[in-house]
Every structure is written in C-alpha cells, then in structure tokens.
C-alpha cells in the first residue's frame, strides 16, 4: 500500500458540512480527492487564513472524494478553525507522514480525544475478518465522541467498542490503560495501536511491551513545515513529521523524549 502523492502548496477548500461532536469538538467536511484517500496516521497542514497553519490528522468522510478535520477548540488557531462556518475556506497541504502498519487478526485500538481521528481512519482499513476492540477515553460524559461512528463502521464484524470516562459519568470508570490491562489478562492481540495524550500512549506502549505485543503510537510534536526542513518537530534523533508520526514500540522504548519531554514553540525542551 503506497503513500498518497502529496502537494506542498496550500490548496483552498470550502467547508461543506459541520458536525458538532461535543461542545468543544467539531468535524468540518470538505471535498478533496487526495485527502479522501490518505492512509491512517497521515496528517495535513491546515492554513487558517490570517491566523496560522497547524497540523491536523485527516478524518474520514463516508462520502466519496471528501475528507474532514476533527478539531478541538484549544488555542488561537484551533479556536478559529472551530468557529468556521459552512462556505468558509481553509488551505490544506499534504498528506504528510507515514501511517500505521496494517496487520491482521485481533486488533486493539486505544485512543483519547482527537487522537481517535487516525484510529477511526485505521478502522476503515482493517479487514471484515479482523476482530477489533476499540477503547475510547474521555474525562467525562460530555467529552465522549465517535462511539456511534465506531460501532457503525464495525457493524457486522466481531468487535467491541468500550468507552471509559475518568469520572465514571458514562460507561466504565477509570483510564483507558486500566481497561487495556484487564483485557490483556485474558486476550492476546496481534497488534495494538494508540493515539492520544503522550502520557497515555507511554503507558499503552509499556503495557504492550510487558505483554510482548506489537504496538504502534502516533506522536504529536510542534510542527511548522511538516516536511522535514525546520526541525521544530524533533523527537529524540528523529523528526515526527517525516520519520513518523507513527513509531513502533521498539523505537519508542529507546527514545528518551517519549513520555517525558517535548519542545515548545521556541524549541526549548519542556517536561510533560
Ligand atoms: C500530527 C498532528 C496531528 C494533529 N491532529 C489534530 C486533530 O486531528 N485535531 C486537533 O484538534 N488537534 C490536532 N493536533 C494538535 C493541533 O495541531 C494543535 O492543538 C494546534 O496546533 C494548536 O494551535 P493553537 O493555535 O490552537 O494553540 P496554541 O495556543 O498555539 O498552542 C497550544 C498548544 O498546542 C500545541 N501546538 C501549537 N502549535 C502547534 C503546532 N504547530 N504543531 C503542533 N502542536 C502545536 C502546543 O502544545 C501548544 O502548547 C495535531 C497535531 C499534530 C502534530
Ligand atoms: S515540522 Fe518542520 S521538520 Fe518537522
């Protein structure tokens, strides 16, 4: 499966539909043949005119030739993107980065927040014969999203969608990693994939490696160029934008930054 051909000059697209996922998370749909076909884990640089250009995972659309971004309102750029209306334009370039390795058999997907975006795309690449368990983590009931979508995509297959809230206001109480540990006591997975807050992914990779399971995580770092030139996404000795964003457990376990430090906007190292 080859990576999609990328385009490095921003291309303007028009927002055609908006879906509110939670009070602070929205999915914005637009038409683009190339982004509609990206591999799970690939991202685009999104230009919000007059504001900034930021990296965003490419979300699926269930319509041909369309793609989407699922944005959490956070700082300046994401708040502007979140506030866009149908008919507004944004610039896109990409897709960039590698992708999750598609394995077969019994799969475990562990995601939190907008980290679920590449995992939902991954679900659409798995085979009907695969047995897929997806753990969706959120702090509280109001922040749970993609539960219905995951169930719809996995309909007719052997699957489990488990929602975990930290405050117990919906479904299971605790952390995604508590549920993962419980599952691994009686199940053996052929591959485990994770995306979400780095502390969560760190724990997922540790648990997977203790259980000798194959694991991959999609890493977030500050990104400016997205194509391996500026160095703002340094992750140990590698560049998250070009060498990743997906790394396997073996390389993550020897990367001293993973789970502990990252670089801020001026390149200074900060602790998580
Ligand atoms: C590969 C990748 C995929 C992403 N996918 C999504 C997604 O699907 N949905 C979503 O809501 N968010 C996603 N993000 C995070 C999103 O890019 C940042 O939240 C956004 O850039 C913050 O910009 P801001 O102006 O809103 O916030 P700011 O106030 O500028 O920054 C807030 C924090 O966001 C992070 N951040 C800021 N600028 C960048 C940048 N250029 N690159 C990376 N992180 C930055 C920093 O940790 C910063 O401290 C992704 C990030 C990466 C690297
Ligand atoms: S974002 Fe510029 S090198 Fe990765």
């Amino acid at each position: 499966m080859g990576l999609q051909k990328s385009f490095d000059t921003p291309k303007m697209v028009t927002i055609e539909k908006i879906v509110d996922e939670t009070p602070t998370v929205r999915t914005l749909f637009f038409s683009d043949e190339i982004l509609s076909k990206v591999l799970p884990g690939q991202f685009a640089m999104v230009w919000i005119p007059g504001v900034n250009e930021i990296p965003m995972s490419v979300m699926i659309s269930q319509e041909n030739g369309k793609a989407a971004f699922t944005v959490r309102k956070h700082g300046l750029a994401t708040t502007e993107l979140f506030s866009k209306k149908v008919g507004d334009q944004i610039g896109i370039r990409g897709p960039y980065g590698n992708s999750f390795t598609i394995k077969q058999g019994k799969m475990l997907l562990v995601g939190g927040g907008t980290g679920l975006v590449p995992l939902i795309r991954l679900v659409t690449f798995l085979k009907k014969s695969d047995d897929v368990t997806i753990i969706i983590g959120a702090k509280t009931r109001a922040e749970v999203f993609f539960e219905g979508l995951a169930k719809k995509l996995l309909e007719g297959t052997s699957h489990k969608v488990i929602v975990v809230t930290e405050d117990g206001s919906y479904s299971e109480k605790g952390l995604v990693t508590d549920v993962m540990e419980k599952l691994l006591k009686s199940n053996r997975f052929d591959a485990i994939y994770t995306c979400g807050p780095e502390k969560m992914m760190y724990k997922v990779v540790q648990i997977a490696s203790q259980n000798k399971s194959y694991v991959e995580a999609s890493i977030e770092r500050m990104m400016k160029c997205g194509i391996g030139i500026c160095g703002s996404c340094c992750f140990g000795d590698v560049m998250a934008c070009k060498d990743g964003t997906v790394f396997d457990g073996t390389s993550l376990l020897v990367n001293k930054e993973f789970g502990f430090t990252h670089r801020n906007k001026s390149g200074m190292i900060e602790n998580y």
Side-chain angles (χ1 to χ4, degrees):
M1 204 179 306
L3 295 179
Q4 289 296 317
K5 187 174 168 11
S6 67
F7 48 96
D8 295 329
T9 307
K11 183 203 277 188
M12 298 310 289
V13 292
T14 303
I15 293 160
E16 296 166 2
K17 186 173 85 173
I18 298 175
V19 171
D20 284 336
E21 310 289 358
T22 76
T24 54
V25 177
R26 267 181 191 163
T27 303
L28 316 176
F29 295 84
F30 55 91
S31 294
D32 187 72
E33 280 297 335
I34 293 182
L35 289 200
S36 75
K37 297 194 180 82
V38 306
L39 298 176
Q42 288 194 287
F43 68 96
M45 292 303 294
V46 181
W47 177 44
I48 302 119
V51 184
N52 203 350
E53 192 187 36
I54 56 170
M56 296 285 295
S57 295
V58 184
M59 178 55 186
I60 60 159
S61 161
Q62 292 184 79
E63 290 177 65
N64 273 346
K66 295 188 195 285
F69 296 117
T70 298
V71 60
R72 180 186 294 281
K73 188 170 143 186
H74 184 50
L76 186 61
T78 47
T79 301
E80 283 292 324
L81 188 57
F82 179 89
S83 311
K84 291 286 176 203
K85 306 265 179 297
V86 168
D88 286 347
Q89 289 203 312
I90 51 173
I92 53 170
R93 62 182 173 91
Y96 299 131
N98 62 1
S99 66
F100 287 114
T101 312
I102 315 288
K103 302 263 184 182
Q104 281 182 27
K106 204 167 155 66
M107 311 290 171
L108 176 64
L109 282 53
V110 186
T114 52
L116 286 160
V117 171
L119 298 181
I120 291 289
R121 185 168 277 276
L122 175 63
V123 166
T124 67
F125 278 75
L126 298 176
K127 295 228 163 18
K128 287 270 174 225
S129 54
D130 291 330
D131 178 335
V132 182
T133 300
I134 176 160
I135 310 178
I136 296 179
K139 283 201 165 58
T140 182
R141 181 187 195 110
E143 289 181 26
V144 175
F145 59 98
F146 290 164
E147 181 188 9
L149 177 61
K151 285 183 177 161
K152 190 173 163 198
L153 293 172
L154 289 164
E155 218 170 82
T157 68
S158 169
H159 72 272
K160 258 198 214 110
V161 177
I162 305 170
V163 178
V164 192
T165 51
E166 284 178 31
D167 65 358
S169 52
Y170 179 62
S171 198
E172 294 208 29
K173 182 177 180 174
L175 300 172
V176 289
T177 44
D178 301 334
V179 175
M180 178 184 171
E181 272 179 316
K182 261 191 248 159
L183 280 176
L184 281 170
K185 282 193 181 134
S186 50
N187 292 275
R188 166 122 207 108
F189 292 94
D190 296 296
I192 298 174
Y193 304 95
T194 183
C195 186
E198 195 152 313
K199 285 278 182 201
M200 177 203 92
M201 292 195 286
Y202 179 77
K203 188 110 197 266
V204 169
V205 171
Q206 296 290 327
I207 299 168
S209 81
Q210 281 152 18
N211 282 273
K212 301 194 173 16
S213 300
Y214 182 83
V215 61
E216 289 184 350
S218 172
I219 302 301
E220 257 191 39
R221 281 293 178 274
M222 184 67 60
M223 287 182 189
K224 292 177 184 166
C225 71
I227 51 173
I229 297 170
C230 72
S232 64
C233 68
C234 278
F235 174 51
D237 293 339
V238 291
M239 306 265 188
C241 74
K242 205 158 181 282
D243 302 310
T245 60
V246 177
F247 296 93
D248 65 16
T250 312
S251 64
L252 290 167
L253 288 170
V254 296
N255 190 321
K256 291 198 169 57
E257 280 196 21
F258 180 51
F260 292 97
T261 59
H262 64 110
R263 281 152 215 267
N264 65 20
K265 286 181 183 175
S266 55
M268 302 286 287
I269 292 181
E270 285 179 352
N271 292 327
Y272 269 111

